[in-house]
Amino acid sequence: MFTASQLLDKINNHISEIQFTRTPKGLYEPIEYILSLGGKRIRPVLMLMGYNLYREDVASIYDPATAIEVYHNHTLLHDDLMDRSDVRRGKPTVHKVWNDNTAVLSGDAMLILAFRYMTGCPPEHLKEVMDLFSLTTLEICEGQQLDMEFESRCDVTEDEYIEMIRLKTAVLLAGSLKIGAILAGATAEDAENLYNFGMHIGVAFQLQDDLLDVYGDPEVFGKKIGGDILCNKKTYMLIKALNRADEKQHTELNRWLNAEAFQPSEKIEAVTEIYNQLNIRNICESKMREYYTLAMESLAAVAVAEDRKKELKNLVKLLMYREM
């Protein structure tokens, strides 16, 4: 049984050895660039861990694991362009180094490459894996569209928000684990329990991001605090605040939501103070714990020895509490 750190080293080494020999170089250089930026590689590591619960020959699924990472980075190219983000993992984004059109086209090429890598799985699992992978990629598009639509709405409900983050964030974690289990020959029940485990952890992970954007340590969180507040992002925090606010607090929140000219630090401080008054931090932490508990229940139902699940539990704890 490998540790998460060992699996990360393995997939990093594999991805670092990928060479694109096709031309034109202008299409493939941006792909090499974003893959070289590294990152936590959470999704391919989860796939390898799902596989390693049952089998030891993890090298046999490097291609499908690479597919997940290439696909994830494809979404980052397009997300950065849509959000007009200048920096990714401490480096200029692809559309800043090259241009918008290159980011779109190289991102499209990454999507195609991801599907090609995924077809590297054994023929006996090909249809089941490709059906799940294609559904997952479609659901992520649905989640992204919902997120965009929420930007212009002031009536987003808690249930709508949870569904959006399930689609946008959680399904890829869930799909990674399930594909790993399928490729290892796990039972359908085990594969589904691992999928549910990943789904619940994904929702909890995004709720944590909402929380850390307001209350995290910027040195640890890796970005400035209050970004969601400044851009009026419909996070779980804001949705709960709008639902719980009294008339005075609601008026104050709406004033900041509609303000066109303001001092960033003043807006962050004012909205955070309303969150404090409404106990929003504890409410969000409680929701996180709810999904974390559901995840652990799903993992407990997976029919493998407890000691083989230990590394998955450790990884999740590290991800969920690294900045708390």
Side-chain angles (χ1 to χ4, degrees), residues 208-228:
Q208 183 202 47
D209 254 19
D210 289 1
L211 185 71
L212 292 174
D213 189 78
V214 180
Y215 294 108
D217 180 346
E219 293 298 320
V220 181
F221 189 33
K223 60 182 180 181
K224 293 180 179 179
I225 299 302
D228 290 345

Side-chain angles (χ1 to χ4, degrees), residues 59-84:
S60 68
I61 67 160
Y62 282 170
D63 275 356
T66 299
I68 286 289
E69 185 64 10
V70 170
Y71 171 75
H72 174 60
N73 281 271
H74 142 78
T75 67
L76 300 183
L77 252 70
H78 287 180
D79 284 354
D80 287 341
L81 180 58
M82 294 165 73
D83 296 340
R84 307 311 305 175

Side-chain angles (χ1 to χ4, degrees), residues 66-301:
T66 299
I68 286 289
E69 185 64 10
V70 170
Y71 171 75
H72 174 60
N73 281 271
H74 142 78
T75 67
L76 300 183
L77 252 70
H78 287 180
D79 284 354
D80 287 341
L81 180 58
M82 294 165 73
D83 296 340
R84 307 311 305 175
S85 299
D86 294 343
V87 177
R88 166 69 63 182
R89 296 168 183 155
K91 300 289 185 179
T93 50
V94 167
H95 70 91
K96 295 297 292 184
V97 176
W98 285 271
N99 54 56
D100 292 3
N101 290 343
T102 297
V104 171
L105 193 58
S106 292
D108 289 346
M110 292 183 81
L111 176 61
I112 298 163
L113 287 167
F115 273 84
R116 291 190 68 181
Y117 280 122
M118 193 61 79
T119 61
C121 66
E124 63 268 26
H125 299 300
L126 182 61
K127 185 180 188 308
E128 186 177 8
V129 167
M130 294 308 296
D131 284 349
L132 176 56
F133 186 50
S134 59
L135 175 61
T136 300
T137 58
L138 184 61
E139 287 180 323
I140 290 168
C141 292
E142 293 167 354
Q144 178 67 16
Q145 179 64 32
L146 288 174
D147 195 21
M148 292 190 299
E149 291 177 3
F150 289 174
E151 292 177 7
S152 59
R153 286 180 52 190
C154 295
D155 60 346
V156 179
T157 67
E158 177 181 335
D159 287 346
E160 286 179 311
Y161 181 74
I162 295 296
E163 175 63 4
M164 183 274 288
I165 62 176
R166 184 189 75 81
L167 292 168
K168 186 175 178 180
T169 300
V171 294
L172 192 55
L173 301 179
S176 299
L177 281 159
K178 186 172 181 177
I179 290 172
I182 290 170
L183 294 174
T187 66
E189 185 177 5
D190 269 10
E192 192 61 23
N193 281 323
L194 282 167
Y195 184 86
N196 290 334
F197 165 72
M199 187 71 72
H200 295 316
I201 283 299
V203 173
F205 189 73
Q206 185 57 54
L207 289 171
Q208 183 202 47
D209 254 19
D210 289 1
L211 185 71
L212 292 174
D213 189 78
V214 180
Y215 294 108
D217 180 346
E219 293 298 320
V220 181
F221 189 33
K223 60 182 180 181
K224 293 180 179 179
I225 299 302
D228 290 345
I229 291 175
L230 294 178
C231 67
N232 298 336
K233 191 171 180 63
K234 304 305 189 302
T235 65
Y236 184 82
M237 311 276 284
L238 179 58
I239 291 167
K240 295 302 289 187
L242 289 168
N243 287 341
R244 294 173 62 86
D246 60 24
E247 185 176 351
K248 180 181 177 181
Q249 292 163 332
H250 209 282
T251 298
E252 180 74 356
L253 273 174
N254 280 323
R255 182 173 76 83
W256 285 110
L257 289 172
N258 295 318
E260 295 183 0
F262 53 82
Q263 287 292 328
S265 60
E266 185 181 359
K267 179 173 180 177
I268 292 169
E269 183 179 348
V271 174
T272 301
E273 176 57 29
I274 295 174
Y275 288 173
N276 293 340
Q277 294 168 9
L278 296 170
N279 199 32
I280 298 300
R281 177 172 186 163
N282 286 339
I283 292 169
C284 188
E285 287 176 341
S286 177
K287 199 69 174 176
M288 283 169 50
R289 286 193 294 271
E290 176 185 329
Y291 277 94
Y292 179 83
T293 300
L294 289 170
M296 291 302 109
E297 289 173 355
S298 294
L299 184 58

Side-chain angles (χ1 to χ4, degrees), residues 42-52 61 64-66 68 118 175-177 179-181 183:
I42 294 170
R43 293 147 192 87
V45 167
L46 284 175
M47 183 185 290
L48 294 174
M49 293 180 84
Y51 182 90
N52 196 206
I61 67 160
T66 299
I68 286 289
M118 193 61 79
S176 299
L177 281 159
I179 290 172
L183 294 174

